[in-house]
Amino acid sequence: MRILVVEDEPLLANAVAEGLRADAHAVDVVHDGGAALERLWLHDYDVVVLDRDLPVVHGDDVCRAVASREGDVRVLMLTAAAEIDDRVAGLALGADDYLPKPFAFRELAARVVALGRRSRPAAPPVLERAGVRLDPHRREVYRDGRYVPLSRKEFAVLAELLRADGAAVSAEQLLEKAWDEYADPFTHTVRMAILKLRRKLGEPAVVLTDPGVGYRIS
């Protein structure tokens, strides 16, 4: 998934981002509400992890902006205020979920994944096509019963291709979902990831190229 972490405490923001990246998500980080609004106009995110008490633009205003726009982005609001009235107020603003600080990262990660499921069409827990089986929860991939070790980026790319269910996925779409904002769209980043993925999955090739369109699982 593509996730935006909006948190004004850099150490906490970076810790959350690194934990989510370890789960093969693409994560962007900003530290104030104004920067969050800029990123939201530039990219299509699946989930926004949003601190409520932000500088420049308050988290409440960011949440309202997300709720008012078209799209399927989900908001997990973070706050040090844990009273029921605070949670109700946050949900009333348009947040999809609410997590008080301090929190356990495992719980945050589980809530992010649950919200991500809501932002996509329903998909089976395990993705399978053309002899390739991907389990997003166990982070495991098998080709015709053979375990295939993949890097985080290769795993994320394969998951996007399998979710497309045979339809072609453009390089731009893969960049949007599997890489963060620091990826250079003018490099061969996607092509190299596809080449490595093909090599690891083995013969016969199941990741095909549709010239001028993108990549698909046959």
Side-chain angles (χ1 to χ4, degrees):
M1 290 187 294
R2 185 76 179 267
I3 300 168
L4 178 64
V5 174
V6 191
E7 167 60 59
D8 65 338
E9 298 179 31
L11 290 177
L12 177 58
N14 291 333
V16 169
E18 286 306 307
L20 292 172
R21 287 172 184 143
D23 289 337
H25 302 300
V27 185
D28 298 332
V29 178
V30 294
H31 302 297
D32 65 74
L37 293 176
E38 292 177 2
R39 294 299 195 287
L40 286 162
W41 284 114
L42 288 172
H43 303 292
D44 292 324
Y45 292 100
D46 296 293
V47 178
V48 179
V49 179
L50 178 67
D51 184 31
R52 190 171 185 184
D53 189 15
L54 290 171
V56 184
V57 177
H58 196 274
D60 288 359
D61 296 318
V62 175
C63 189
R64 289 190 189 96
V66 173
S68 66
R69 60 182 293 191
E70 294 182 1
D72 297 319
V73 61
R74 305 295 180 176
V75 175
L76 171 59
M77 184 171 278
L78 306 177
T79 181
E83 298 297 325
I84 291 178
D85 288 346
D86 295 307
R87 299 186 191 191
V88 171
L91 294 171
L93 291 168
D96 299 279
D97 199 358
Y98 198 97
L99 187 61
K101 298 177 180 179
F103 53 82
F105 175 76
R106 288 178 60 194
E107 181 179 4
L108 180 142
R111 288 174 181 264
V112 165
V113 170
L115 290 176
R117 291 196 201 104
R118 297 187 208 171
S119 69
R120 297 172 178 264
V126 174
L127 302 171
E128 293 186 76
R129 188 176 181 85
V132 178
R133 175 185 173 90
L134 181 148
D135 187 328
H137 302 294
R138 294 179 179 271
R139 290 284 317 283
E140 293 177 346
V141 173
Y142 292 86
R143 169 78 189 273
D144 296 328
R146 172 180 63 87
Y147 175 71
V148 181
L150 298 180
S151 70
R152 288 181 291 178
K153 280 291 178 281
E154 292 159 359
F155 187 93
V157 168
L158 181 60
E160 290 299 322
L161 293 174
L162 287 170
R163 288 191 183 101
D165 198 25
V169 183
S170 70
E172 291 77 14
Q173 288 173 304
L174 291 174
L175 271 174
E176 181 70 26
K177 291 299 183 182
W179 278 267
D180 60 27
E181 63 186 339
Y182 298 107
D184 184 350
F186 299 105
T187 66
H188 299 295
T189 301
V190 174
R191 186 169 67 85
M192 293 306 298
I194 292 291
L195 288 174
K196 292 178 182 178
L197 187 57
R198 283 176 176 151
R199 185 173 67 250
K200 290 184 178 181
L201 290 174
E203 298 293 338
V206 292
V207 181
L208 304 182
T209 301
D210 286 348
V213 180
Y215 307 96
R216 60 183 173 87
I217 300 290
S218 63

